[in-house]
């Protein structure tokens, strides 16, 4: 039962100080006791002091409403003072409009520019710290697999090889074939003017092997497999399967990430080689049908143009792209928190971040090749 004190000055100003909780457990007795107590006073102004109220709920608001009714309307004033922020918020939510003039509800202002900037910086630093920690976990897990090959989940690794490589081959082949057709067609318009039709084969093979083949393949894999990695791990995260693995003593990174990483590193370079091959076939069709080239001359020019270094350079880049795609996809999956909406955001972020890192790393490779070659 809450305690209360009543004081009155000669002008009829009554002050009621309440101590304790004002909730469903004591609202009824409070109304009854206070009604009986306040009838003794000729109230010209009633002030309710809530400074010592620890808790107030809907029933406490009902007590305040009953107290307000005890004040003669139009003849006396009713005030509530020293209300806490939570009480103010509750009174506002319950539309305790008769107290609006006495209670000042502070409006929540949106954070300023510097506050938002600081929050963004702190968030980015935290994400960078988590990313570095995740890279460390992957490296330690790879060392563990190298030391104990039996710890690798071979079945899962083969399954992801099928999903990344075999299932992705049709779309990679089709897009690469169309890219070869487009490049050969567009370049033939200019090269025909100089009688340099044969160099269409050189342009297509060199461009696809060094640059476009690895990039196109990596973007397709990021869209198909990178998003799938993020969605799979994110779904396991919100269903607490990842926590269950950790509780049972399994390393989630070793269990979930390493098979995907090995599968991607093996299959993406192979897909890149297929991409180069199908693009050359697309260029060959244009060369035969529009430029009067023979199959032998086109293939001979392609072999003459390409070097082993060109092929190796494209395969090397695709291997790096595979690492980036897997890292970002799994990282976004582990960062999922909440529900299905968070999984959707993680998959979108995985694809966008992967493509950004692919383009960025390819630019770095181009600079290295420029000063190396």
């Amino acid at each position: 039962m809450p305690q209360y004190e009543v004081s009155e000055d000669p002008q009829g100003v009554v002050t009621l100080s309440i101590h304790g909780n004002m909730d469903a457990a004591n609202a009824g007795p409070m109304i009854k006791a206070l009604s009986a107590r306040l009838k003794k006073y000729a109230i010209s102004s009633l002030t309710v002091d809530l400074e010592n109220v620890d808790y107030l709920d809907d029933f406490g608001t009902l007590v305040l409403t009953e107290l307000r009714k005890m004040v003669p309307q139009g003849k006396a004033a009713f005030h509530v003072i020293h209300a806490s922020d939570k009480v103010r918020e509750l009174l506002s939510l319950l539309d305790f409009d008769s107290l609006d003039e006495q209670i000042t509800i502070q409006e929540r202002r949106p954070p300023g520019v510097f506050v938002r900037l600081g929050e963004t910086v702190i968030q980015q630093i935290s994400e960078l710290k988590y990313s570095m920690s995740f890279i460390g976990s992957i490296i330690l897990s790879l060392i563990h697999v190298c030391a104990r090959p039996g710890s690798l989940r071979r079945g899962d690794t083969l399954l992801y090889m099928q999903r990344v490589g075999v299932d992705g081959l049709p779309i990679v082949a089709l897009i690469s074939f169309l890219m070869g057709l487009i490049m050969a067609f567009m370049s033939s318009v200019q090269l025909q003017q100089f009688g340099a039709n044969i160099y269409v084969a050189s342009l297509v093979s060199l461009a696809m092997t060094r640059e476009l083949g690895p990039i196109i393949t990596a973007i397709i894999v990021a869209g198909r497999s990178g998003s799938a990695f993020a969605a799979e791990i994110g779904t396991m995260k919100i269903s607490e399967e990842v926590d269950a693995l950790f509780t049972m003593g399994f390393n989630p990174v070793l269990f979930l990430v390493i098979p995907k990483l090995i599968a991607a590193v093996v299959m993406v370079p192979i897909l890149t080689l297929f991409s180069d091959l199908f693009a050359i076939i697309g260029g060959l069709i244009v060369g035969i049908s529009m430029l009067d080239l023979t199959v032998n001359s086109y293939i001979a020019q392609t072999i003459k143009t390409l070097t082993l270094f060109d092929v190796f350079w494209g395969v090397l880049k695709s291997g790096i792209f595979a690492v980036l795609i897997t890292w970002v996809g799994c990282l976004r999956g582990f960062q999922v928190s909440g529900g299905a909406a968070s999984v959707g955001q993680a998959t979108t972020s995985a694809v966008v971040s992967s493509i950004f890192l692919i383009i960025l790393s390819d630019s770095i490779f181009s600079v290295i090749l420029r000063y190396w070659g």
Side-chain angles (χ1 to χ4, degrees):
M1 183 70 181
Q3 303 295 322
Y4 46 86
E5 299 174 359
V6 181
S7 60
E8 182 186 21
D9 63 10
Q11 287 73 32
V13 177
V14 178
T15 301
L16 172 64
S17 300
I18 302 177
H19 301 253
N21 297 337
M22 297 174 65
D23 52 19
N26 51 44
M30 278 189 69
I31 294 174
K32 186 176 180 180
L34 291 174
S35 298
R37 184 75 176 270
L38 294 178
K39 283 181 179 177
K40 301 177 182 177
Y41 300 94
I43 301 174
S44 63
S45 176
L46 175 60
T47 301
V48 180
D49 188 352
L50 301 181
E51 183 177 8
N52 297 311
V53 171
D54 301 320
Y55 176 75
L56 184 145
D57 62 5
D58 299 355
F59 291 88
T61 307
L62 177 62
V63 174
L64 294 177
T65 304
E66 294 299 322
L67 290 173
R68 186 184 65 81
K69 292 178 181 178
M70 298 176 192
V71 177
Q73 293 184 0
K75 298 180 180 179
F78 180 80
H79 302 283
V80 174
I81 60 174
H82 299 151
S84 64
D85 293 339
K86 290 184 178 179
V87 173
R88 293 169 185 269
E89 185 176 358
L90 177 62
L91 295 176
S92 177
L93 290 174
L94 295 177
D95 195 21
F96 199 69
D97 52 358
S98 62
L99 298 178
D100 285 347
E101 295 180 0
Q102 288 77 30
I103 297 177
T104 303
I105 306 296
Q106 294 182 351
E107 296 182 359
R108 293 183 178 179
R109 296 181 178 179
V113 176
F114 293 105
V115 174
R116 294 200 300 270
L117 179 62
E119 290 177 347
T120 303
V121 171
I122 293 174
Q123 182 181 359
Q124 293 301 321
I125 292 175
S126 300
E127 185 170 350
L128 179 62
K129 182 180 178 182
Y130 184 82
S131 301
M132 294 298 103
S133 174
F134 189 65
I135 291 176
S137 299
I138 292 177
I139 293 174
L140 291 177
S141 298
L142 284 174
I143 293 174
H144 180 80
V145 169
C146 293
R148 298 178 180 177
S151 62
L152 176 64
R153 295 171 57 84
R154 293 185 177 83
D156 287 351
T157 305
L158 293 175
L159 177 63
Y160 289 120
M161 283 184 176
Q162 177 186 347
R163 291 178 179 176
V164 174
V166 179
D167 296 346
L169 180 59
I171 186 65
V172 170
L174 177 61
I175 292 180
S176 299
F177 177 76
L178 295 176
M179 283 295 299
L181 280 176
I182 295 170
M183 290 178 60
F185 179 76
M186 296 302 295
S187 60
S188 65
V189 176
Q190 298 298 325
L191 293 176
Q192 270 185 319
Q193 300 177 11
F194 305 98
N197 297 349
I198 192 63
Y199 291 106
V200 170
S202 301
L203 189 149
V204 172
S205 59
L206 197 59
M208 288 301 299
T209 304
R210 280 195 175 189
E211 293 295 336
L212 296 180
I215 290 180
I216 291 173
T217 303
I219 291 176
I220 294 173
V221 172
R224 290 187 71 259
S225 303
S227 58
F229 294 163
E232 178 183 337
I233 296 178
T235 304
M236 295 181 67
K237 187 76 183 298
I238 62 174
S239 61
E240 299 182 351
E241 294 180 54
V242 176
D243 296 334
L245 288 174
F246 186 78
T247 303
M248 290 187 293
F250 293 101
N251 181 359
V253 175
L254 178 63
F255 199 84
L256 299 175
V257 178
I258 300 303
K260 297 179 177 65
L261 179 64
I262 294 177
V265 170
V266 172
M267 298 310 297
V268 173
I270 296 176
L271 283 177
T272 300
L273 293 176
F274 276 105
S275 172
D276 299 340
L277 176 62
F278 280 96
I280 291 172
I281 294 174
L284 174 63
I285 292 177
V286 173
I288 295 173
S289 60
M290 296 182 58
L291 304 176
D292 298 327
L293 297 176
T294 64
V295 175
N296 289 334
S297 63
Y298 190 95
I299 294 176
Q301 183 64 25
T302 299
I303 295 174
K304 180 181 177 181
T305 303
L306 292 179
T307 63
L308 187 60
F309 175 79
D310 297 324
V311 179
F312 172 77
W313 187 253
V315 170
L316 174 64
K317 289 201 300 185
S318 63
I320 301 298
F321 295 160
V323 173
L324 295 175
I325 293 168
T326 308
W327 171 64
V328 172
C330 295
L331 174 67
R332 295 292 183 247
F334 277 107
Q335 288 178 327
V336 166
S337 62
S342 181
V343 176
Q345 293 173 357
T347 54
T348 303
S349 178
V351 175
V352 174
S353 301
S354 297
I355 293 175
F356 170 75
L357 290 176
I358 289 168
I359 301 300
L360 178 63
S361 57
D362 188 70
S363 303
I364 296 174
F365 275 116
S366 299
V367 173
I368 294 174
L369 184 63
R370 169 67 180 82
Y371 288 99
W372 186 11

